[in-house]
Amino acid sequence: MTKEEIKVFCPATIANISCGFDVLGVALDSVGDEMIVRKVSEKGVRITKLEGQDLPMETLKNVAGVAGIELLANSDYEGGFEIEIYKKIKAGSGIGSSAASSAGAVWAMNELLEKPFSQLQLVKFAMEGERLASGVAHADNVAPALFGGFTLVRSYDPLDIVTIPAPIALYATVIHPQIEVKTSDSRKILKTSITMETGIKQWGNLGGLIAGLFKEDYELIGRSLVDHIVEPIRSILIPGFDEVKKAVVQAGALGSGISGSGPSIFALSEGASTAQNVAVAMRGVYENIGIDYEVHVSKVNVDGVREL
Ligand code: ADP
């Protein structure tokens, strides 16, 4: 019997991961939204419930609605969908709040329609939600949210997503200082060109990070978590950034950087206990500065969006 309703977990994601601006991302396990999607006979997509965050419920102002409309436009399904969104990820936090809703909506709809679309097609639909959230249809959050694990957007045209395995003991610690940095603002301040010298350093690190993930070489992962292009500019918007970077390495992290467009800061560690020590170190910095924060410690999520 075909399902009429499905409840899903929509993971938070870290995009960029230092050297992989706009191309790398990873899904988290212990933080994400929940969503219920239901088939209805009335055409179109309606958000019927939205709890946890103050976000627009109008279909075309909510990324879940926009991504869902894009899926419907490519489907011969005659009916529509109702969506209930239970937000746990704060919007604008830099851990893929919008991507979780876009990816969750299209994944759930595809399940209810008995999977007419490939994962890659779902990424394309979800990217339309990202266009609404930030003005740019980037895939570096929606790809890991849908595929799970680490993903590389090898090419945007044509869209080509490569999944990358994660070493079993790799953990992420993410701190979200409670200040607002809009994705659109943090994009505006970036330069539009780089020197050859900077490019060489950056793709050296990106290759190193990918190789480190495949080889399960934690040292190599740590050495490669360096961003010569975006971090030096964007980190100015995040109070305490330099202190956090120093503190997490002292606590044993492999390395750290800005999560997505910030203000969240992520660190990667080998093992859960180190990741917890890193959380303590991050908290200490913001306690000193006097800014409220939220911390998440998570294993890498290898499934992406999943049914609950
Ligand atoms: P993040 O980096 O956490 O994804 P963004 O700044 O990219 O945050 O996206 C948040 C923006 O998307 C906000 O302007 C928010 O109003 C808008 N938005 C629309 N629908 C949603 C949704 N379902 N979940 C989260 N953000 C949404």
Side-chain angles (χ1 to χ4, degrees):
M1 218 181 76
T2 61
K3 261 191 225 157
E4 294 302 306
E5 180 178 302
I6 188 168
K7 185 175 183 186
V8 293
F9 171 77
C10 320
T13 43
I14 299 170
N16 301 338
I17 318 181
S18 295
C19 48
F21 180 60
D22 267 4
V23 297
L24 263 194
V26 63
L28 302 180
D29 215 23
S30 63
V31 48
D33 296 341
E34 289 177 12
M35 222 176 215
I36 295 173
V37 180
R38 189 175 303 119
K39 274 165 112 178
V40 290
S41 53
E42 202 181 327
K43 282 185 197 298
V45 178
R46 274 162 307 280
I47 320 276
T48 54
K49 214 181 231 189
L50 205 165
E51 288 181 6
Q53 287 281 286
D54 186 15
L55 291 166
M57 284 178 75
E58 297 98 301
T59 303
L60 294 180
K61 289 191 182 159
N62 193 295
V63 298
V66 169
I69 290 284
E70 187 65 18
L71 177 143
L72 274 184
N74 286 275
S75 162
D76 51 16
Y77 169 55
E78 302 268 302
F81 295 101
E82 281 180 2
I83 305 177
E84 295 178 13
I85 307 175
Y86 300 91
K87 296 294 298 180
K88 307 245 167 78
I89 313 169
K90 291 205 167 118
S93 55
I95 51 169
S97 174
S98 50
S101 290
S102 308
V106 296
W107 190 90
M109 289 173 185
N110 194 43
E111 290 294 304
L112 293 175
L113 298 178
E114 300 186 317
K115 300 192 189 163
F117 299 111
S118 68
Q119 289 280 73
L120 194 65
Q121 283 175 301
L122 296 184
V123 172
K124 284 184 187 163
F125 303 150
M127 283 167 71
E128 291 307 313
E130 294 296 77
R131 196 193 299 283
L132 171 72
S134 69
V136 183
H138 57 97
D140 50 348
N141 287 106
V142 290
L146 283 160
F147 283 92
F150 281 82
T151 57
L152 170 75
V153 186
R154 192 207 56 83
S155 153
Y156 272 92
D157 188 18
L159 188 64
D160 186 3
I161 310 280
V162 183
T163 56
I164 298 151
I168 190 88
L170 194 65
Y171 278 74
T173 311
V174 184
I175 187 153
H176 175 206
Q178 312 281 290
I179 53 163
E180 198 186 347
V181 178
K182 282 229 151 61
T183 304
S184 47
D185 292 344
S186 60
R187 268 188 187 263
K188 271 186 222 136
I189 63 166
L190 298 180
K191 293 189 187 133
T192 51
S193 59
I194 57 163
T195 63
M196 178 68 95
E197 193 191 352
T198 305
I200 291 167
K201 287 189 202 161
Q202 192 84 356
W203 56 67
N205 281 314
L206 180 56
L209 178 54
I210 304 274
L213 291 168
F214 268 97
K215 290 162 65 137
E216 307 202 357
D217 182 338
Y218 293 94
E219 295 282 311
L220 177 56
I221 292 169
R223 299 203 289 285
S224 307
L225 284 173
V226 184
D227 175 6
H228 291 282
I229 297 175
V230 175
E231 186 176 296
I233 299 170
R234 274 195 177 161
S235 57
I236 295 158
L237 300 174
I238 308 172
F241 182 79
D242 294 338
E243 292 92 319
V244 167
K245 276 206 90 129
K246 277 190 210 116
V248 299
V249 170
Q250 277 165 9
L254 301 167
S256 65
I258 302 170
S259 178
S261 54
S264 289
I265 306 170
F266 78 93
L268 297 182
S269 301
E270 180 179 0
S273 62
T274 305
Q276 293 293 355
N277 293 340
V278 167
V280 172
M282 286 176 163
R283 278 191 197 105
V285 171
Y286 284 102
E287 291 286 345
N288 277 342
I289 302 177
I291 293 178
D292 288 342
Y293 56 81
E294 219 169 51
V295 186
H296 308 285
V297 177
S298 178
K299 239 177 128 59
V300 173
N301 169 347
V302 292
D303 301 316
V305 181
R306 65 169 186 271
E307 185 171 3
L308 287 173

